[in-house]
Amino acid sequence: MRRALDGLIDALPSQCAVCSRWPARRLCADCCARWATATPRCQLCAIAVPAGVKVCGACLRGPAPLSICLAAVDYAYPWHRVIADFKFRGDTGLARSLAALMLQSPQACEQLARCDALVPMPLSPQRLCERGFHQTLLLARALARQQPVQILAAAAERRHTGTPQHDLARAQRLRHLRSAFAVAPDQRSRIEGRRLLLLDDVMTTGASLHALAQCLRRAGAAEVGALVLARTPL
Ligand SMILES: [Zn+2]
Ligand SMILES: [Zn+2]
């Protein structure tokens, strides 16, 4: 039923969120071809790297909390605008097209097929109340409709830390992040020994993804990788 409805919605004419052309898909094929070209990225942090390079210098020097990290696009024009429409202006109808964009990125289908479950970046109850929807869960559901995968939406809880992350000094932010995620005892059996793929909309420094990965590893996850929609370029 849901699939039939999705097919019907997809067939309806719409306006492209990038070029405003009508009728088109929410993200038209021309815009995806123009603005979402495959870029060589570091396998561990998804930062753009020169062709032929697999792991960036920073990841070679430091410990890599993620086993793999994939990003569909850079967090730059026009995607920062489209993501703001989705995340902050409540245009949740974009989830399906954004999920399709993620599936087009190299290795995304392969990693989804390989993982045991997808873990959308948790939202604190306060943030959920303010926003009214959980954007990474919507992305996870849209992905799972296009490529079946189990979603563990309650694998970890995010505690509300009060001050927005960007208002804190780096050291303070890291301290906050270390205590930001927790695994409820009833979720452990779903995590232990499993290969998890975290899902986030925007990756900036990766600190939140790393903190979540460490929390899930401590709870017994065998492997934790990440798939993100957009990566902030250096
Ligand atoms: Zn377009
Ligand atoms: Zn890297």
Side-chain angles (χ1 to χ4, degrees), residues 96-158:
R96 187 177 162 79
S97 299
L98 291 173
L101 191 67
M102 291 171 99
L103 285 174
Q104 279 171 24
S105 63
Q107 293 190 68
C109 290
E110 194 184 313
Q111 287 302 319
L112 275 169
R114 193 179 170 276
C115 75
D116 295 314
L118 197 56
V119 177
M121 175 60 77
L123 208 57
S124 71
Q126 285 82 349
R127 190 73 74 232
L128 180 60
C129 237
E130 288 161 20
R131 190 164 298 156
F133 62 98
H134 182 175
Q135 83 279 4
T136 51
L137 178 57
L138 291 187
L139 280 179
R141 286 185 180 145
L143 274 173
R145 277 199 286 277
Q146 293 167 60
Q147 183 172 325
V149 61
Q150 189 190 1
I151 300 172
L152 290 184
E157 290 160 4
R158 187 169 196 153

Side-chain angles (χ1 to χ4, degrees), residues 42-47 55-56 58-59:
C42 168
Q43 287 184 344
L44 300 176
C45 74
I47 204 79
V55 176
C56 77
C59 288

Side-chain angles (χ1 to χ4, degrees), residues 15-21 24-32 35:
Q15 186 175 27
C16 172
V18 177
C19 66
S20 301
R21 197 166 53 184
R25 291 180 171 225
R26 287 308 314 277
L27 297 173
C28 79
D30 287 352
C31 285
C32 288
W35 301 108

Side-chain angles (χ1 to χ4, degrees), residues 71-117:
V73 294
D74 272 335
Y75 189 53
Y77 181 86
W79 305 114
H80 64 315
R81 192 164 53 77
V82 176
I83 292 170
D85 285 345
F86 171 59
K87 190 170 168 180
F88 302 117
R89 288 189 274 280
D91 189 350
T92 53
L94 280 165
R96 187 177 162 79
S97 299
L98 291 173
L101 191 67
M102 291 171 99
L103 285 174
Q104 279 171 24
S105 63
Q107 293 190 68
C109 290
E110 194 184 313
Q111 287 302 319
L112 275 169
R114 193 179 170 276
C115 75
D116 295 314

